[in-house]
Amino acid sequence: MATAVAEPASRPDTRGPTAPLPLSLFAAGAAAIAIVILGTLGIQAYQVVNGGPVTPACEAEGIEARLLGAEGVCHIIEGIRSRAQTVVWLLGIVLGAGAAAGGWGLYKRMPSKRQREQCIAGAVLGVQAIALSALLLWFRSGEIAPFIRNFFNAEVLAGTIDGFLRGMLNTVKLAFAGEVGGIMIGLLLAVLAISQRRTVRAPALVYINFFRGTPLIWQLFFIYAIILFGFGIQIETFTAAVLVFSLNTGAYAAEVFRAGIQSIERGQVEAARSLGMTYTQAMRYAIVPQAVRRVIPPLMNEFVILIKDTALVIVLGLTAENYELYTFSREVYSEFSNGSAFVATAFGYLAITLPLIRIVNAVEHRLRSGLTGVVGAGG
Amino acid sequence: MNPDGSLVKLENVHKWFGPNHVLRGIDLTIQAGNVVVIVGPSGSGKSTLLRTINLLEEPTEGRVLFDGEEITDIRTDVNKVRREIGIVFQSFNLFPHKSAKENVKLALEKVLRLSDGEAEERAMEQLSHVGLAQKGDAYPGQLSGGQQQRVAIARALAMKPKLMLFDEVTSALDPELVKEVLDTMKKLADEGMTMVVVTHEMGFAREVGTRLIFTDGGKIVEDGNPSEVFQNPKDERFKSFLSHVL
Ligand SMILES: Nc1ncnc2c1ncn2[C@@H]1O[C@H](COP(=O)(O)OP(=O)(O)O)[C@@H](O)[C@H]1O
Ligand SMILES: [Mg+2]
């Protein structure tokens, strides 16, 4: 058994010394991007704290003081249009251009790896600062007043926190129920789909292809209609949505399970069968426990996709207590004729999906970094 | 036992993989207690021949009899037959998610329906037999190739089979690990186990084998006592094969 050689407490740094020139190029690039981002946010923060009443310029563009949240909207607009903001973006472009030109021109001549990397990093950051500033300047040249009024009105959101949180909860509920149902359907389908017998395999493959090959929004609509009018069953839209998500996820999960099972070396089944185990026993005790570890990351990816796809239930129309995030924002829009909740919704989805994405990446990394995840203790 | 007193009998066995005619009429009778060594060039059908004996490969044509039963009869319960025939593979095929001991215990509990205590006892007995009593809790990934292969042998032996099949079990091992596995097999032969061994280890064939079979092109072309066959080989292809491996 090989025992890894203990790593030295700190790895020796072999990248060589730095020098003033590459260091200042790096600093220029970093400063450029920092000025653009922090400067823009800083100006907005200043406006929140020190901004005055609605200005005549805002009034002229239809942001009248009597409207809900007019002051806040005007603050944002005035901030974007301020001279300070122009200075910030131009400064970002000038500094960024300096760093980009210097870094790009000089990196090949640097004597050490560290100096070369500092030149390159400075140039890259400089380009990013230029791109971001240019994009924001372009944005500002358009009709920003109606856009800000429609999507960045904090007062509209103020009273909707409860609805927002309920929307998040319902989004998770819908996706989770759909995923659990989908995993069960997927397991069954996978068992059928890997059968040697065509008669067993065929219906499963038809199912899988159908649900993978048609739009989810169509499935939601049509299956709901079939249940309601075809079978004549009075079903809640929420329940119908969970059912359709399960049916749809089942098709994808089946493919995941099938791939997972087929990725286990043939020798494993042979070993189990030659010990006298039945096909079912071989699957249950030898193959599936190994496959499970491999299907976790792709199943979690499916879950993340399903979380976002819950937005499609809007076509069925949920009852108020079941509003998920997207329906919630649409309802806020109807009530206030204002789309600020759509912006908030993005953060709601991200708050759910980002942690999951991080977990998937960590699990994948663990499985990939040698056998520890696959073989490790337990099981 | 078969009607003629043999343990295994292959009658005119043919195997096709698609258009590929891999076994071309194998007739082979193996007596209990024999150690039959099969040698032959790569691709000559040695593995396929071995694997038809426990029906991991189903013959396209011909009959296989084991211990008085025609196991190629569709009504035969293959799972029952396979309990009595152990096989060890070139690539070990241990269950990576189970410890050495669990690997041995699994079929004892699920197939032979032994209690946990009985299975535990028998597993430890078999692991000691292959010299791995202390490695019971180790996972395959933590064992050397030679140790893994000995666990695989213990796993097969724990079923108390009447016949053991070995398919190039030392081919995937580093040279210094080959001996420990061959020694284990020799010990088994000395205890009277009936064995069919596909191998490139000519020393083992000569020393342990009671019979040597040379296959080429899906046929048995040389068959006899190892020392005699090595001394005056008759078939030309066998002669040239020997000149390459010896
Ligand atoms: N499962 C299989 N499917 C298709 N062809 C196979 C299969 N197993 C073996 N063969 C083919 O049968 C021939 C004999 O293989 P094998 O019995 O493994 O030979 P050996 O063990 O003597 O090297 C080879 O040509 C091989 O490619
Ligand atoms: Mg082979």
Side-chain angles (χ1 to χ4, degrees):
Chain A
M1 209 178 110
T3 39
V5 179
E7 289 237 343
S10 68
R11 200 171 53 171
D13 194 338
T14 53
R15 291 172 304 161
T18 185
L21 179 63
L23 196 58
S24 45
L25 283 172
F26 174 74
I33 192 83
I35 286 169
V36 174
I37 294 174
L38 298 180
T40 306
L41 293 176
I43 288 167
Q44 290 300 326
Y46 176 87
Q47 287 290 88
V48 170
V49 179
N50 298 319
V54 175
T55 61
C58 287
E59 290 265 7
E61 288 188 273
I63 301 166
E64 295 157 38
R66 61 179 178 79
L67 295 175
L68 178 68
E71 258 190 29
V73 169
C74 186
H75 291 162
I76 297 175
I77 295 171
E78 290 297 337
I80 293 174
R81 287 188 173 154
S82 67
R83 174 160 307 192
Q85 185 68 81
T86 311
V87 170
V88 161
W89 288 341
L90 290 180
L91 199 59
I93 289 178
V94 171
L95 256 179
W104 179 250
L106 294 174
Y107 82 96
K108 276 191 176 153
R109 278 181 245 163
M110 291 295 126
S112 77
K113 198 166 186 181
R114 185 194 303 269
Q115 290 178 35
R116 172 184 285 213
E117 286 306 316
Q118 281 171 339
C119 283
I120 294 173
V124 169
L125 291 172
V127 169
Q128 289 167 356
I130 296 169
L132 188 57
S133 303
L135 194 67
L136 289 167
L137 278 165
W138 184 21
F139 165 75
R140 188 173 74 170
S141 72
E143 290 268 328
I144 63 166
F147 176 76
I148 301 293
R149 191 187 63 210
N150 265 312
F151 289 107
F152 291 87
N153 190 329
E155 303 271 321
V156 167
L157 294 177
T160 63
I161 296 289
D162 284 351
F164 179 79
L165 293 177
R166 183 147 26 86
M168 272 180 75
L169 183 66
N170 282 328
T171 294
V172 172
K173 268 194 201 166
L174 262 177
F176 189 75
E179 184 71 22
V180 170
I183 284 174
M184 292 191 293
I185 293 172
L187 266 174
L188 175 68
L189 283 172
V191 168
L192 302 178
I194 59 174
S195 168
Q196 303 285 333
R197 297 191 176 86
R198 194 184 298 232
T199 47
V200 176
R201 211 167 52 212
L205 294 181
V206 167
Y207 177 103
I208 291 168
N209 287 331
F210 178 78
F211 277 94
R212 290 180 66 191
T214 52
L216 179 53
I217 197 165
W218 183 92
Q219 294 164 14
L220 278 165
F221 188 76
F222 206 76
I223 293 174
Y224 180 59
I226 289 176
I227 296 172
L228 202 59
F229 304 120
F231 293 109
I233 299 169
Q234 292 301 316
I235 188 173
E236 267 213 64
T237 46
F238 189 87
T239 318
V242 167
L243 182 72
V244 177
F245 288 144
S246 297
L247 294 172
N248 180 274
T249 303
Y252 287 94
E255 289 295 270
V256 168
F257 288 128
R258 181 161 79 148
I261 287 171
Q262 288 176 344
S263 76
I264 306 296
E265 306 68 41
R266 215 175 112 90
Q268 292 290 311
V269 186
E270 292 186 347
R273 295 304 305 272
S274 54
L275 287 164
M277 285 188 222
T278 63
Y279 175 80
T280 313
Q281 287 177 320
M283 282 292 149
R284 172 153 170 220
Y285 300 115
I287 306 305
V288 170
Q290 295 183 60
V292 161
R293 292 164 164 83
R294 298 189 195 181
V295 300
I296 288 171
L299 280 184
M300 286 182 72
N301 276 328
E302 288 299 330
F303 185 46
V304 171
I305 293 171
L306 183 54
I307 286 168
K308 295 175 291 174
D309 282 350
T310 54
L312 297 172
V313 300
I314 199 144
V315 299
L316 296 189
L318 295 170
T319 51
E321 75 276 12
N322 287 330
Y323 285 170
E324 44 70 55
L325 272 173
Y326 198 74
T327 310
F328 152 79
S329 55
R330 212 264 316 260
E331 290 302 314
V332 175
Y333 177 78
S334 315
E335 190 179 336
F336 295 91
S337 292
N338 185 290
S340 296
F342 282 115
V343 177
T345 302
F347 291 97
Y349 284 114
L350 286 171
I352 304 168
T353 53
L354 285 187
L356 280 168
I357 291 170
R358 290 199 62 152
I359 295 172
V360 181
N361 289 342
V363 172
E364 274 182 337
H365 180 77
R366 214 176 92 95
L367 286 175
R368 221 178 311 114
S369 62
L371 292 167
T372 46
V374 182
V375 173
Chain B
M1 214 176 277
N2 292 330
D4 62 354
S6 64
L7 181 64
V8 181
K9 197 170 175 68
L10 276 65
E11 292 177 359
N12 189 32
V13 167
H14 288 260
K15 178 70 184 178
W16 296 76
F17 287 113
N20 194 358
H21 196 180
V22 174
L23 296 182
R24 301 175 176 236
I26 301 284
D27 288 294
L28 176 64
T29 306
I30 298 171
Q31 306 297 335
N34 272 11
V35 177
V36 179
V37 177
I38 302 179
V39 299
S42 176
S44 63
K46 305 181 296 293
S47 298
T48 309
L49 168 55
L50 196 74
R51 290 154 58 91
T52 54
I53 298 176
N54 72 346
L55 292 190
L56 274 185
E57 303 294 355
E58 202 183 321
T60 316
E61 198 188 319
R63 305 202 311 156
V64 179
L65 283 79
F66 174 76
D67 201 20
E69 195 173 7
E70 187 197 333
I71 61 176
T72 37
D73 186 323
I74 194 165
R75 290 161 296 189
T76 304
D77 180 356
V78 282
N79 298 321
K80 245 187 186 138
V81 174
R82 288 186 182 138
R83 291 177 200 176
E84 317 231 284
I85 305 177
I87 184 166
V88 185
F89 304 92
Q90 178 175 348
S91 50
F92 324 141
N93 295 349
L94 292 179
F95 306 127
H97 58 298
K98 296 197 174 289
S99 70
K101 193 167 68 187
E102 290 165 345
N103 261 277
V104 181
K105 281 173 72 178
L106 183 62
L108 299 180
E109 289 179 337
K110 304 304 175 194
V111 178
L112 299 187
R113 308 257 168 228
L114 299 190
S115 70
D116 183 63
E118 291 169 308
E120 174 89 17
E121 195 180 323
R122 202 190 279 192
M124 288 319 294
E125 188 186 304
Q126 290 303 331
L127 284 174
S128 318
H129 197 228
V130 298
L132 289 173
Q134 308 83 28
K135 293 289 184 185
D137 292 326
Y139 283 82
Q142 300 167 318
L143 297 172
S144 75
Q147 291 169 333
Q148 289 188 58
Q149 197 57 296
R150 285 187 282 149
V151 173
I153 293 173
R155 180 174 70 177
L157 287 177
M159 302 294 289
K160 305 250 156 99
K162 293 188 174 137
L163 171 69
M164 283 288 289
L165 309 174
F166 295 86
D167 191 0
E168 297 200 33
V169 295
T170 56
S171 297
L173 298 179
D174 291 334
E176 74 271 20
L177 302 178
V178 168
K179 189 173 180 301
E180 65 188 57
V181 173
L182 290 182
D183 286 347
T184 307
M185 290 163 65
K186 185 170 184 311
K187 187 165 144 196
L188 197 56
D190 291 342
E191 290 162 6
M193 174 63 77
T194 312
M195 295 162 60
V196 183
V197 184
V198 174
T199 187
H200 293 302
E201 299 288 337
M202 292 303 150
F204 179 88
R206 197 190 301 263
E207 195 184 335
V208 184
T210 56
R211 181 172 167 198
L212 188 106
I213 284 173
F214 175 74
T215 59
D216 193 25
K219 286 190 170 135
I220 295 176
V221 295
E222 188 91 48
D223 183 354
N225 180 291
S227 42
E228 284 169 23
V229 173
F230 279 129
Q231 238 147 42
N232 55 63
K234 294 187 217 62
D235 184 84
E236 283 308 318
R237 284 167 294 180
F238 184 44
K239 280 184 198 163
S240 97
F241 177 78
L242 283 181
S243 70
H244 283 105
V245 295
L246 289 182

